[in-house]
Amino acid sequence: MIVYLIVRAIGLRLHLLSPDDYERLIRGEVELEDLPEYRPLVAAKAEEARLRAVHAKFIERVSLLLKVSDSHAPFIRAFLDRLEVENVRARLRGALSGADPLYYYPYSHFIGLEALARARSLDQVMELLKGTPYEVRVMRGAPAGILEMALDSAYFAYYRREAERSGFKCLAPLIDREALARLLYWTLRLGESAVVREMGLLRGFEPASLSVRLSPPLLDQLASLFRLDAEQLRRMERHGEVSKAILMAEERVIDAAKRSFLRKRYTPVAVYYYLLLCHNEMRNLERILLGKMLGLRPELIKGTVLAVPP
């Protein structure tokens, strides 16, 4: 079954969008429904409908692998569960701000989507997390950023466990890079000292295979891992360019997966690399569609897109 799963993942890469497709979408030369992969899913000529089609396509692609994954399903399901984590994040922010999220992903696993949407207070959201892999234990009154960082840490701990349970221990260095790219985000957002103070919440970020210690100088270690300049990262943080910095780290994550795939093509790395590319495509299309909804100029939208060849 693993051989069939790997071969399917390699073949399905041919259906992903190219950098040229993103360029044409950004410039308005084509709409999402003009692309064969998305045409059947776009129900109306509106950005909201196109956004729903993007989410449906990602879920469809991962679900297709789930159907043929057999004993390797826990890892693939855990990869898909990042959508549920984002739904929880959106609800946490809504409970703290009083504003409803722009959208939820049409997906649930451990927490019913209707129950999550009904949770209006922080206590109600935290109650829903109990007994799930996303359960977090933070001090009452903890800042929103600490709550979200703890949620990410819990997810990556679960994601790693499921990879190992699926027999995909070989993916540890690549999953470590994913987790540490997210930790870089929180280090820039919250500050290194604030992150390191929460050592008890960081276990899910702790690498299983890379020599990064979750202690000072943390930012310098992460910069070195992703071949980035630490001082440049600090400047970007001061100038409000954290998203741009993280895009650079995420590009390194995908590049590491690609290099590993090219060295070990017929291994579980092929499955992981395909999933990573699918997720990147979904996020690129989200950024393009949301950018258009906000009326952003094409060059600004292009700067948010990680257009890697499939």
Side-chain angles (χ1 to χ4, degrees):
M1 186 63 80
I2 184 61
V3 173
Y4 181 68
L5 178 63
I6 290 167
V7 171
R8 283 303 299 269
I10 291 172
L12 288 167
R13 280 178 46 246
L14 302 175
H15 296 272
L16 296 173
L17 299 186
S18 68
D20 184 58
D21 291 323
Y22 294 129
E23 285 277 358
R24 293 190 299 145
L25 283 166
I26 292 168
R27 292 196 299 262
E29 295 173 5
V30 296
E31 297 293 353
L32 190 68
E33 58 270 25
D34 297 321
L35 303 176
E37 286 295 310
Y38 288 90
R39 187 177 298 128
L41 297 170
V42 179
K45 293 182 181 296
E47 303 301 358
E48 293 85 351
R50 292 173 180 130
L51 200 56
R52 287 193 293 273
V54 167
H55 299 157
K57 188 63 181 179
F58 174 71
I59 294 168
E60 176 188 289
R61 282 170 166 164
V62 182
S63 297
L64 179 61
L65 289 191
L66 268 175
K67 290 176 182 176
V68 298
S69 58
D70 197 26
S71 62
H72 312 292
F75 167 73
I76 296 171
R77 173 66 70 182
F79 190 96
L80 187 55
D81 284 343
R82 61 189 59 197
L83 296 188
E84 187 164 61
V85 171
E86 291 308 313
N87 285 341
V88 171
R89 189 191 316 281
R91 190 61 257 154
L92 279 173
R93 291 179 179 179
L96 291 169
S97 68
D100 285 326
L102 181 62
Y103 58 82
Y104 291 106
Y105 292 106
Y107 173 80
S108 63
H109 182 195
F110 296 103
I111 303 169
L113 193 51
E114 289 185 7
L116 184 63
R118 286 197 305 267
R120 310 310 296 177
S121 70
L122 181 59
D123 285 345
Q124 289 173 331
V125 178
M126 299 300 280
E127 186 66 27
L128 288 174
L129 299 185
K130 288 182 179 178
T132 76
Y134 324 130
E135 184 175 359
V136 295
R137 291 181 174 85
V138 297
M139 291 185 63
R140 196 171 188 83
I146 298 299
L147 276 172
E148 290 189 37
M149 183 175 70
L151 177 67
D152 286 334
S153 179
Y155 169 71
F156 277 107
Y158 157 65
Y159 180 36
R160 278 198 186 89
R161 287 195 305 271
E162 297 304 274
E164 190 164 344
R165 189 157 75 96
S166 297
F168 288 172
K169 197 171 182 179
C170 62
L171 298 180
L174 300 173
I175 293 174
D176 281 348
R177 282 179 167 79
E178 260 199 285
L180 291 171
R182 192 61 186 167
L183 183 60
L184 175 61
Y185 169 80
W186 289 117
T187 304
L188 292 173
R189 270 284 312 277
L190 303 177
E192 181 174 307
S193 59
V195 168
V196 172
R197 274 199 307 271
E198 302 293 341
M199 189 61 67
L201 301 178
L202 302 182
R203 292 190 182 93
F205 296 117
E206 193 165 359
S209 63
L210 302 175
S211 56
V212 174
R213 295 175 59 85
L214 304 188
S215 58
L218 182 56
L219 182 59
D220 294 82
Q221 292 182 75
L222 295 172
S224 176
L225 173 69
F226 292 114
R227 306 189 311 280
L228 300 171
D229 181 82
E231 288 309 312
Q232 181 188 13
L233 290 175
R234 291 184 176 96
R235 286 193 298 272
M236 294 173 83
E237 186 276 326
R238 288 195 297 271
H239 295 145
E241 297 179 327
V242 171
S243 295
K244 183 177 178 182
I246 299 309
L247 202 64
M248 293 161 58
E250 289 174 347
E251 184 174 21
R252 303 297 198 277
V253 169
I254 293 177
D255 182 61
K258 180 178 182 178
R259 285 185 284 108
S260 184
F261 166 67
L262 292 176
R263 289 195 308 270
K264 312 168 189 175
R265 188 175 293 264
Y266 292 100
T267 71
V269 174
V271 179
Y272 173 77
Y273 182 45
Y274 172 67
L275 290 170
L276 209 57
L277 290 175
C278 288
H279 188 242
N280 183 61
E281 179 172 303
M282 182 191 77
R283 294 177 69 203
N284 280 341
L285 292 173
E286 283 179 336
R287 291 162 180 158
I288 292 170
L289 294 171
L290 291 172
K292 288 185 174 184
M293 289 168 70
L294 293 171
L296 298 182
R297 298 193 307 274
E299 59 268 25
L300 291 178
I301 296 174
K302 184 176 180 179
T304 69
V305 171
L306 185 50
V308 294

